[in-house]
Coordinates of all heavy atoms in Angstrom, one line a residue:
M28 N 0.9 -1.2 0.0 CA 0.0 0.0 0.0 C 0.9 1.2 0.0 O 1.8 1.3 0.8 CB -0.9 0.0 1.3 CG -1.6 1.3 1.6 SD -2.5 1.3 3.2 CE -3.3 -0.2 3.3
P29 N 0.6 2.2 -0.9 CA 1.4 3.5 -0.8 C 1.1 4.1 0.6 O 0.2 3.8 1.3 CB 0.8 4.3 -1.9 CG -0.1 3.4 -2.7 CD -0.4 2.2 -1.9
A30 N 2.0 5.1 1.0 CA 1.8 5.7 2.3 C 0.4 6.2 2.5 O -0.2 5.9 3.5 CB 2.8 6.8 2.4
E31 N -0.2 6.9 1.6 CA -1.5 7.4 1.7 C -2.3 7.0 0.4 O -1.8 7.2 -0.7 CB -1.6 8.9 1.9 CG -3.0 9.4 2.2 CD -3.0 10.8 2.6 OE1 -2.0 11.4 3.1 OE2 -4.1 11.4 2.5
Q32 N -3.5 6.5 0.6 CA -4.3 6.1 -0.5 C -5.7 6.4 -0.3 O -6.3 6.2 0.7 CB -4.1 4.5 -0.6 CG -4.8 3.9 -1.8 CD -4.6 2.4 -1.8 OE1 -4.3 1.8 -0.8 NE2 -4.7 1.8 -3.0
L33 N -6.3 7.1 -1.3 CA -7.8 7.4 -1.4 C -8.4 6.2 -2.0 O -8.1 5.9 -3.2 CB -8.1 8.7 -2.1 CG -9.5 9.0 -2.3 CD1 -10.2 9.2 -0.9 CD2 -9.7 10.3 -3.1
L34 N -9.3 5.5 -1.3 CA -10.0 4.4 -1.9 C -11.4 4.8 -2.4 O -12.1 5.5 -1.7 CB -10.2 3.3 -0.8 CG -8.9 2.9 -0.1 CD1 -9.2 2.0 1.0 CD2 -8.0 2.2 -1.1
P35 N -11.7 4.5 -3.7 CA -13.0 5.0 -4.2 C -14.2 4.4 -3.5 O -14.2 3.2 -3.1 CB -12.9 4.7 -5.7 CG -12.0 3.5 -5.7 CD -11.0 3.7 -4.6
A36 N -15.3 5.1 -3.5 CA -16.6 4.6 -3.0 C -17.1 3.7 -4.0 O -17.0 3.9 -5.2 CB -17.5 5.7 -2.7
D37 N -17.8 2.6 -3.6 CA -18.4 1.6 -4.6 C -19.7 2.1 -5.1 O -20.3 1.4 -6.0 CB -18.5 0.3 -3.9 CG -17.2 -0.4 -3.6 OD1 -16.2 0.0 -4.3 OD2 -17.1 -1.2 -2.7
G38 N -20.3 3.1 -4.6 CA -21.6 3.6 -5.0 C -22.0 4.8 -4.2 O -21.3 5.3 -3.3
P39 N -23.1 5.5 -4.5 CA -23.5 6.7 -3.9 C -23.7 6.6 -2.4 O -23.6 7.6 -1.7 CB -24.7 7.1 -4.7 CG -25.2 5.9 -5.3 CD -24.1 5.0 -5.5
D40 N -24.1 5.4 -1.9 CA -24.4 5.2 -0.5 C -23.2 4.7 0.3 O -23.3 4.4 1.5 CB -25.6 4.3 -0.3 CG -26.9 4.8 -0.9 OD1 -27.0 6.1 -0.9 OD2 -27.7 4.0 -1.3
R41 N -22.1 4.5 -0.4 CA -20.9 4.0 0.3 C -20.0 5.2 0.8 O -20.0 6.2 0.3 CB -20.1 3.2 -0.7 CG -20.9 2.1 -1.4 CD -21.1 0.9 -0.4 NE -19.8 0.3 -0.1 CZ -19.6 -0.8 0.5 NH1 -20.6 -1.4 0.9 NH2 -18.4 -1.3 0.7
P42 N -19.3 4.9 1.9 CA -18.5 5.9 2.5 C -17.2 6.2 1.7 O -16.8 5.3 0.9 CB -18.1 5.4 3.9 CG -18.1 3.9 3.6 CD -19.2 3.7 2.7
R43 N -16.7 7.4 1.8 CA -15.3 7.7 1.2 C -14.3 7.0 2.2 O -14.4 7.1 3.4 CB -15.1 9.2 1.2 CG -13.8 9.6 0.5 CD -13.7 11.1 0.4 NE -13.7 11.6 1.7 CZ -12.7 12.5 2.1 NH1 -11.8 12.9 1.3 NH2 -12.7 12.9 3.3
S44 N -13.3 6.4 1.6 CA -12.3 5.7 2.4 C -10.9 6.3 2.2 O -10.6 6.6 1.1 CB -12.3 4.2 2.1 OG -13.5 3.6 2.3
L45 N -10.1 6.4 3.2 CA -8.8 6.8 3.2 C -7.9 5.7 3.9 O -8.4 5.2 4.9 CB -8.5 8.1 3.8 CG -9.3 9.3 3.3 CD1 -9.1 10.5 4.2 CD2 -8.7 9.7 1.9
A46 N -6.7 5.5 3.4 CA -5.9 4.5 4.1 C -4.4 5.1 4.1 O -4.0 5.8 3.2 CB -5.9 3.2 3.4
F47 N -3.7 4.7 5.2 CA -2.3 5.2 5.4 C -1.6 4.0 6.0 O -2.1 3.4 6.9 CB -2.2 6.4 6.2 CG -0.8 6.9 6.4 CD1 -0.3 7.8 5.6 CD2 -0.1 6.4 7.5 CE1 1.0 8.2 5.7 CE2 1.2 6.9 7.7 CZ 1.8 7.8 6.8
S48 N -0.3 3.8 5.6 CA 0.6 2.9 6.2 C 2.0 3.4 6.2 O 2.4 4.1 5.3 CB 0.5 1.5 5.5 OG 1.5 0.6 6.0
T49 N 2.7 3.1 7.3 CA 4.1 3.5 7.3 C 5.0 2.5 6.6 O 6.2 2.7 6.5 CB 4.6 3.6 8.8 OG1 4.5 2.3 9.4 CG2 3.9 4.7 9.5
E50 N 4.4 1.4 6.1 CA 5.2 0.4 5.4 C 5.9 1.1 4.2 O 5.2 1.8 3.4 CB 4.3 -0.7 4.9 CG 5.0 -1.9 4.2 CD 4.1 -3.0 3.8 OE1 3.1 -3.2 4.5 OE2 4.5 -3.7 2.9
G51 N 7.2 0.9 4.0 CA 7.9 1.5 2.9 C 8.3 2.9 3.1 O 9.0 3.5 2.3
V52 N 8.0 3.5 4.3 CA 8.4 4.9 4.6 C 9.6 4.8 5.4 O 9.7 4.0 6.3 CB 7.3 5.6 5.4 CG1 7.7 7.0 5.8 CG2 6.0 5.7 4.5
A53 N 10.6 5.7 5.1 CA 11.8 5.7 5.9 C 11.5 5.9 7.4 O 10.7 6.7 7.7 CB 12.8 6.8 5.4
A54 N 12.2 5.2 8.3 CA 11.9 5.2 9.7 C 12.0 6.7 10.2 O 11.2 7.1 11.1 CB 12.9 4.4 10.5
A55 N 12.9 7.5 9.7 CA 13.0 8.9 10.2 C 11.8 9.7 9.9 O 11.6 10.8 10.5 CB 14.3 9.5 9.7
N56 N 11.0 9.3 8.9 CA 9.9 10.2 8.4 C 8.5 9.7 8.9 O 7.5 10.3 8.7 CB 9.9 10.2 6.9 CG 11.1 10.8 6.3 OD1 11.7 11.7 6.9 ND2 11.5 10.4 5.1
R57 N 8.5 8.5 9.5 CA 7.2 7.9 9.9 C 6.3 8.7 10.8 O 5.2 8.9 10.6 CB 7.4 6.5 10.5 CG 8.0 5.5 9.4 CD 8.2 4.2 10.0 NE 8.9 3.3 9.1 CZ 9.4 2.1 9.4 NH1 9.3 1.7 10.6 NH2 10.0 1.4 8.4
L58 N 6.9 9.1 11.9 CA 6.1 9.9 12.9 C 5.5 11.2 12.3 O 4.3 11.5 12.5 CB 6.9 10.2 14.2 CG 7.0 9.0 15.1 CD1 8.0 9.4 16.3 CD2 5.7 8.5 15.6
E59 N 6.3 11.9 11.6 CA 5.9 13.2 11.0 C 4.8 12.9 10.0 O 3.7 13.6 10.0 CB 7.1 13.8 10.3 CG 6.7 15.2 9.6 CD 7.8 15.8 8.9 OE1 9.0 15.3 9.0 OE2 7.6 16.8 8.2
L60 N 4.9 11.9 9.1 CA 3.9 11.6 8.1 C 2.6 11.0 8.7 O 1.5 11.4 8.3 CB 4.4 10.6 7.0 CG 5.5 11.2 6.1 CD1 6.1 10.1 5.2 CD2 5.0 12.3 5.3
W61 N 2.8 10.2 9.8 CA 1.6 9.6 10.5 C 0.9 10.7 11.2 O -0.4 10.8 11.1 CB 2.1 8.6 11.5 CG 1.1 7.9 12.3 CD1 0.8 8.2 13.6 CD2 0.2 6.9 11.9 NE1 -0.3 7.4 14.0 CE2 -0.6 6.6 13.0 CE3 0.0 6.2 10.7 CZ2 -1.6 5.6 12.9 CZ3 -1.0 5.2 10.7 CH2 -1.8 5.0 11.8
S62 N 1.5 11.7 11.8 CA 0.9 12.8 12.5 C 0.1 13.7 11.5 O -1.0 14.1 11.7 CB 1.9 13.6 13.2 OG 1.3 14.7 13.9
A63 N 0.8 14.0 10.3 CA 0.1 14.8 9.3 C -1.1 14.1 8.7 O -2.1 14.7 8.5 CB 1.1 15.1 8.2
Y64 N -1.0 12.8 8.5 CA -2.2 12.1 8.0 C -3.3 12.1 9.0 O -4.5 12.4 8.6 CB -1.8 10.6 7.7 CG -3.0 9.8 7.3 CD1 -3.6 9.9 6.0 CD2 -3.6 9.0 8.2 CE1 -4.7 9.2 5.7 CE2 -4.8 8.3 7.9 CZ -5.3 8.4 6.7 OH -6.5 7.7 6.4
N65 N -3.0 11.8 10.2 CA -4.1 11.9 11.2 C -4.7 13.2 11.4 O -6.0 13.3 11.6 CB -3.6 11.4 12.6 CG -3.6 9.9 12.7 OD1 -4.7 9.4 13.0 ND2 -2.5 9.2 12.5
A66 N -4.0 14.3 11.3 CA -4.5 15.6 11.3 C -5.5 15.9 10.2 O -6.5 16.5 10.4 CB -3.4 16.7 11.3
R67 N -5.3 15.3 9.0 CA -6.2 15.5 7.9 C -7.3 14.6 8.0 O -8.5 14.9 7.6 CB -5.4 15.3 6.6 CG -4.5 16.3 6.2 CD -3.9 16.1 4.7 NE -3.4 14.8 4.5 CZ -2.2 14.4 4.8 NH1 -1.4 15.2 5.4 NH2 -1.8 13.2 4.5
A68 N -7.1 13.3 8.3 CA -8.1 12.3 8.2 C -9.0 12.1 9.4 O -10.1 11.6 9.3 CB -7.5 10.9 7.8
L69 N -8.5 12.4 10.6 CA -9.2 12.1 11.8 C -9.1 13.2 12.8 O -10.1 13.9 13.0 CB -8.6 10.8 12.4 CG -9.3 10.1 13.6 CD1 -10.7 9.7 13.2 CD2 -8.5 8.9 14.0
I70 N -8.0 13.4 13.5 CA -7.9 14.4 14.5 C -6.4 14.7 14.7 O -5.5 13.8 14.5 CB -8.5 13.9 15.9 CG1 -8.5 15.1 16.9 CG2 -7.8 12.7 16.4 CD1 -9.3 14.7 18.2
D71 N -6.1 16.0 15.0 CA -4.7 16.3 15.2 C -4.2 15.8 16.5 O -4.8 16.0 17.6 CB -4.6 17.9 15.2 CG -3.1 18.4 15.1 OD1 -2.2 17.5 14.8 OD2 -2.9 19.6 15.3
L72 N -3.1 15.0 16.5 CA -2.6 14.3 17.7 C -1.1 14.6 17.9 O -0.4 14.8 16.9 CB -2.8 12.8 17.5 CG -4.2 12.2 17.4 CD1 -4.1 10.7 17.0 CD2 -5.0 12.4 18.6
D73 N -0.7 14.5 19.1 CA 0.8 14.5 19.4 C 1.2 13.1 19.5 O 0.9 12.4 20.4 CB 1.0 15.3 20.7 CG 2.5 15.4 21.1 OD1 3.3 15.2 20.2 OD2 2.8 15.7 22.2
I74 N 1.9 12.6 18.5 CA 2.3 11.2 18.4 C 3.8 11.0 18.6 O 4.6 11.7 18.0 CB 1.9 10.7 17.0 CG1 0.4 10.9 16.8 CG2 2.3 9.2 16.8 CD1 -0.1 10.6 15.4
R75 N 4.1 10.0 19.4 CA 5.5 9.6 19.6 C 5.5 8.2 20.1 O 4.5 7.7 20.7 CB 6.2 10.6 20.6 CG 5.6 10.5 22.0 CD 6.2 11.6 22.8 NE 5.2 12.6 22.7 CZ 5.2 13.8 23.3 NH1 6.2 14.1 24.1 NH2 4.3 14.7 23.2
T76 N 6.6 7.5 20.0 CA 6.8 6.2 20.5 C 7.4 6.3 21.9 O 8.1 7.3 22.2 CB 7.7 5.3 19.7 OG1 9.0 5.9 19.5 CG2 7.0 5.0 18.3
M77 N 7.2 5.4 22.8 CA 7.7 5.4 24.1 C 9.2 5.5 24.2 O 9.8 6.2 25.1 CB 7.2 4.2 25.0 CG 5.7 4.2 25.1 SD 5.0 5.6 26.0 CE 5.5 5.1 27.6
D78 N 9.9 4.8 23.4 CA 11.4 4.7 23.5 C 12.1 5.3 22.2 O 13.2 4.9 21.9 CB 11.8 3.3 23.8 CG 11.4 2.3 22.7 OD1 10.8 2.7 21.7 OD2 11.7 1.1 22.8
D79 N 11.4 6.1 21.4 CA 12.0 6.7 20.2 C 12.3 5.7 19.1 O 13.1 5.9 18.2 CB 13.2 7.6 20.5 CG 12.8 8.8 21.3 OD1 11.7 9.3 21.1 OD2 13.6 9.2 22.2
S80 N 11.7 4.5 19.2 CA 11.9 3.5 18.2 C 11.0 3.8 17.0 O 10.0 4.5 17.1 CB 11.7 2.1 18.7 OG 10.3 1.9 19.2
P81 N 11.3 3.3 15.8 CA 10.5 3.6 14.6 C 9.1 3.1 14.8 O 8.9 2.0 15.4 CB 11.2 2.9 13.5 CG 12.6 2.7 14.0 CD 12.5 2.5 15.4
L82 N 8.1 3.8 14.2 CA 6.7 3.4 14.3 C 6.4 2.5 13.1 O 6.8 2.8 12.0 CB 5.9 4.7 14.3 CG 4.4 4.5 14.2 CD1 3.8 4.0 15.5 CD2 3.7 5.8 13.8
A83 N 5.6 1.5 13.3 CA 5.0 0.7 12.3 C 3.5 0.8 12.5 O 2.9 0.4 13.5 CB 5.4 -0.7 12.4
A84 N 2.7 1.5 11.6 CA 1.3 1.7 11.8 C 0.5 1.7 10.5 O 1.1 2.0 9.4 CB 1.2 3.1 12.5
T85 N -0.7 1.4 10.6 CA -1.7 1.4 9.5 C -3.0 2.0 10.0 O -3.4 1.7 11.2 CB -1.9 0.0 9.0 OG1 -0.7 -0.6 8.6 CG2 -2.9 0.0 7.8
E86 N -3.7 2.8 9.2 CA -5.0 3.3 9.6 C -5.9 3.3 8.3 O -5.4 3.6 7.2 CB -4.8 4.7 10.1 CG -6.1 5.4 10.5 CD -5.9 6.7 11.2 OE1 -4.8 6.9 11.8 OE2 -6.7 7.6 11.0
V87 N -7.1 2.9 8.5 CA -8.1 3.0 7.5 C -9.3 3.9 8.1 O -9.8 3.6 9.2 CB -8.6 1.6 7.1 CG1 -9.8 1.7 6.1 CG2 -7.5 0.8 6.5
N88 N -9.7 4.9 7.3 CA -10.8 5.8 7.7 C -11.9 5.7 6.8 O -11.7 5.6 5.6 CB -10.3 7.2 7.7 CG -9.1 7.4 8.6 OD1 -8.0 7.2 8.2 ND2 -9.3 7.8 9.9
L89 N -13.1 5.6 7.4 CA -14.4 5.6 6.6 C -15.1 6.9 6.9 O -15.4 7.2 8.1 CB -15.2 4.4 6.9 CG -14.6 3.0 6.6 CD1 -15.6 2.0 7.0 CD2 -14.3 2.9 5.1
H90 N -15.4 7.7 5.9 CA -16.2 9.0 6.1 C -17.6 8.8 5.6 O -17.8 8.8 4.4 CB -15.4 10.1 5.4 CG -14.1 10.4 6.0 ND1 -13.4 11.5 5.7 CD2 -13.3 9.7 6.9 CE1 -12.3 11.6 6.4 NE2 -12.2 10.4 7.1
F91 N -18.5 8.7 6.5 CA -20.0 8.6 6.1 C -20.5 10.1 6.2 O -19.8 11.0 6.7 CB -20.8 7.8 7.1 CG -20.4 6.3 7.0 CD1 -19.4 5.7 7.7 CD2 -21.2 5.5 6.2 CE1 -19.1 4.4 7.7 CE2 -20.9 4.1 6.1 CZ -19.9 3.6 6.8
A92 N -21.7 10.3 5.8 CA -22.2 11.7 5.8 C -22.3 12.2 7.2 O -22.0 13.4 7.5 CB -23.6 11.7 5.2
A93 N -22.6 11.4 8.2 CA -22.8 11.9 9.6 C -21.8 11.5 10.6 O -21.8 11.9 11.8 CB -24.2 11.6 10.1
V94 N -20.9 10.6 10.2 CA -20.0 10.0 11.2 C -18.7 9.6 10.5 O -18.7 9.2 9.3 CB -20.6 8.8 12.0 CG1 -20.8 7.6 11.1 CG2 -19.8 8.4 13.2
R95 N -17.6 9.6 11.2 CA -16.3 9.1 10.7 C -15.8 7.9 11.6 O -15.9 8.0 12.8 CB -15.3 10.2 10.7 CG -15.5 11.3 9.7 CD -14.4 12.3 9.7 NE -14.7 13.3 8.7 CZ -13.9 14.2 8.4 NH1 -12.7 14.3 9.0 NH2 -14.2 15.1 7.4
L96 N -15.3 6.9 11.0 CA -14.8 5.7 11.7 C -13.4 5.5 11.3 O -13.0 5.8 10.2 CB -15.6 4.5 11.3 CG -17.1 4.5 11.6 CD1 -17.8 3.3 11.0 CD2 -17.4 4.7 13.1
A97 N -12.6 5.0 12.3 CA -11.2 4.7 12.0 C -10.8 3.4 12.6 O -11.2 3.1 13.7 CB -10.3 5.8 12.5
R98 N -10.0 2.6 11.9 CA -9.3 1.4 12.4 C -7.8 1.7 12.4 O -7.2 2.0 11.4 CB -9.6 0.2 11.6 CG -8.9 -1.1 12.2 CD -9.0 -2.3 11.3 NE -8.0 -2.1 10.2 CZ -8.1 -2.7 9.0 NH1 -9.1 -3.5 8.8 NH2 -7.2 -2.5 8.1
V99 N -7.2 1.8 13.6 CA -5.8 2.2 13.8 C -5.1 1.0 14.4 O -5.5 0.4 15.4 CB -5.7 3.4 14.7 CG1 -4.3 3.8 14.8 CG2 -6.6 4.6 14.2
R100 N -3.9 0.7 13.8 CA -3.0 -0.3 14.4 C -1.6 0.3 14.3 O -1.1 0.8 13.3 CB -3.0 -1.6 13.5 CG -4.3 -2.3 13.5 CD -4.2 -3.5 12.7 NE -5.5 -4.1 12.6 CZ -5.8 -5.2 12.0 NH1 -4.9 -5.9 11.4 NH2 -7.0 -5.7 12.1
G101 N -0.9 0.3 15.5 CA 0.4 0.8 15.5 C 1.3 0.2 16.6 O 0.8 -0.1 17.7
V102 N 2.5 -0.1 16.3 CA 3.5 -0.6 17.3 C 4.9 0.0 17.0 O 5.2 0.3 15.8 CB 3.6 -2.1 17.2 CG1 2.3 -2.8 17.6 CG2 4.0 -2.6 15.8
P103 N 5.7 0.2 18.0 CA 7.1 0.6 17.7 C 7.8 -0.6 17.1 O 7.6 -1.7 17.5 CB 7.6 0.9 19.1 CG 6.8 0.2 20.1 CD 5.4 0.0 19.4
R104 N 8.7 -0.3 16.1 CA 9.5 -1.3 15.5 C 10.9 -0.8 15.4 O 11.2 0.2 14.9 CB 9.0 -1.6 14.1 CG 8.3 -2.9 14.2 CD 8.1 -3.5 12.8 NE 6.8 -4.1 13.0 CZ 6.1 -4.6 12.0 NH1 6.5 -4.5 10.8 NH2 5.0 -5.2 12.2

């Protein structure tokens, strides 16, 4: 998966989907890109790992007309 991907809706009643993964992103850039993605797609967060190790994370966001949902997975690597 590219770092950020807009997934097309399957029809007029389907949500808009966004996806982001740190896979393939240089370790030094992961936190900055993850933080910027979250600020656009979900909420602005202060993100860091507990021991400054590189982040490995994936997020999928669904934007419905009245609600937004997110599935977030992240671990230090």
